Amino acid sequence: MTPDAPPPSPPPERHFLEMAFANRSFVIGAIITILVAAMALLSFLWTPYDITHLVVADRMKGLSLAHPLGTDHLGRDILSMIMIGARNSIAVAIVAVGIGMGVGVPLGTWAAARGGLIDEILMRFNDLVFAFPALLSAIMITAIFGPGAINAIIAIGIFNVPVFARVARAGALSIWPREYILAARAAGKSKALITIEHILPNIAALLLVQGTIQFALGILAEAGLSYLGLGAQPPMPSWGRMLFEAQTRMMIAPHLAVFPGLAIVITVLGLNLLGDGLRDLLDPRLRRER
């Protein structure tokens, strides 16, 4: 009798989903991230109250059925402001990470492909840019162009460029000596074509994880810039500016600072957990260790 044939292996997509649902960090991070994103999307269609409508008689009220998170010093509903603040924070972080990835990845892969003097010049320029944190860059930019969300995006995006350039360069340098790259070069493919066809697909997972981390840092940076008055300007709500406006009223209305602070902490925590989960799932070395 011939032995029974082994059962067919599950498709890679199903195997990945099974590992993802078994990864606690990924699941918790994904749930938090989805909830925050859903809250931000919902704010485009509906909020409990109009944040431009001031009701001074209701100023600094505590938690109630009418205002689940209370009201601020101008009588505005805090839940509505947090919902719209989520929209602004996510938008700033997405664009800033997009700038960093869109500029940094081509620079990093080009430096790895060219090597030599080009690589050295680009990396030293990256070191120069990296020496200026987003906050200092924002102060310089707003000193010239004035405060605003656009300038905050530019400042955070400039800070992200050397981060993605370093990650892309390191990942590309680890792939260039491999046999299939040498075979592609022997076949006459240009370095640009090899980068597009072989290098970028192999470092995509690395860039995705780094993008998740920078997204969380972008939200923190936006909150910090808004706290200093360099981010989104009134009447547009921002989690950072809500904290700034609450600092002089902490003793009489602590909820003014508690809920925006929790929004920042929970969002950043969710993104960090999501990034850790993606790193565990996409890095085969970590999977073997587990």
Side-chain angles (χ1 to χ4, degrees):
M1 295 180 63
T2 59
D4 294 336
S9 58
E13 297 82 3
R14 181 180 174 184
H15 182 59
F16 179 82
L17 289 176
E18 290 176 352
M19 292 192 303
F21 284 116
N23 189 297
R24 186 176 302 175
S25 294
F26 178 84
V27 171
I28 296 175
I31 290 174
I32 294 175
T33 303
I34 290 172
L35 289 176
V36 173
M39 179 176 66
L41 291 173
L42 181 61
S43 69
F44 283 101
L45 304 175
W46 174 84
T47 55
Y49 293 89
D50 182 2
I51 60 167
T52 62
H53 183 57
L54 309 182
V55 184
V56 180
D58 292 338
R59 61 191 301 267
M60 289 191 291
K61 283 191 173 182
L63 283 63
S64 64
L65 292 177
H67 301 281
L69 302 185
T71 60
D72 69 354
H73 62 291
L74 296 176
R76 297 173 295 183
D77 181 63
I78 291 180
L79 176 58
S80 301
M81 296 182 66
I82 287 178
M83 291 175 66
I84 298 179
R87 181 175 74 195
N88 295 332
S89 296
I90 291 175
V92 170
I94 287 176
V95 178
V97 169
I99 292 173
M101 189 176 291
V103 178
V105 172
L107 283 178
T109 53
W110 184 47
R114 292 296 300 270
L117 183 61
I118 295 294
D119 183 21
E120 187 68 21
I121 291 174
L122 284 175
M123 288 303 102
R124 297 295 75 78
F125 180 74
N126 268 345
D127 292 339
L128 178 64
V129 176
F130 198 68
F132 291 91
L135 183 59
L136 291 180
S137 301
I139 292 174
M140 290 188 295
I141 291 174
T142 53
I144 300 173
F145 300 105
I150 300 299
N151 295 334
I153 290 172
I154 295 173
I156 301 171
I158 291 173
F159 178 76
N160 284 332
V161 169
V163 176
F164 282 104
R166 284 176 175 273
V167 171
R169 174 180 177 270
L173 286 176
S174 67
I175 296 174
W176 272 104
R178 297 185 180 179
E179 289 78 3
Y180 61 90
I181 300 295
L182 298 177
R185 297 184 66 179
K189 288 187 178 181
S190 65
K191 289 184 176 180
L193 187 59
I194 292 174
T195 298
I196 295 173
E197 291 185 351
H198 301 288
I199 302 297
L200 286 177
N202 281 283
I203 65 174
L206 186 65
L207 296 173
L208 177 62
V209 174
Q210 188 63 43
T212 306
I213 296 172
Q214 293 306 121
F215 194 89
L217 294 177
I219 289 179
L220 274 178
E222 190 277 334
L225 294 175
S226 296
Y227 182 86
L228 297 176
L230 303 177
Q233 298 300 297
M236 190 61 65
S238 170
W239 292 344
R241 198 174 65 254
M242 291 173 70
L243 288 175
F244 173 77
E245 294 173 349
Q247 66 179 350
T248 58
R249 304 173 177 88
M250 283 287 295
M251 300 304 296
I252 57 176
H255 66 279
L256 297 181
V258 168
F259 294 114
L262 281 176
I264 296 172
V265 170
I266 292 173
T267 303
V268 173
L269 175 63
L271 288 167
N272 283 331
L273 289 174
L274 181 62
D276 289 341
L278 285 173
R279 182 191 59 190
D280 295 343
L281 293 171
L282 299 175
D283 193 331
R285 293 171 298 179
L286 292 177
R287 289 203 299 269
R288 286 196 297 267
E289 291 174 3
R290 293 174 183 268

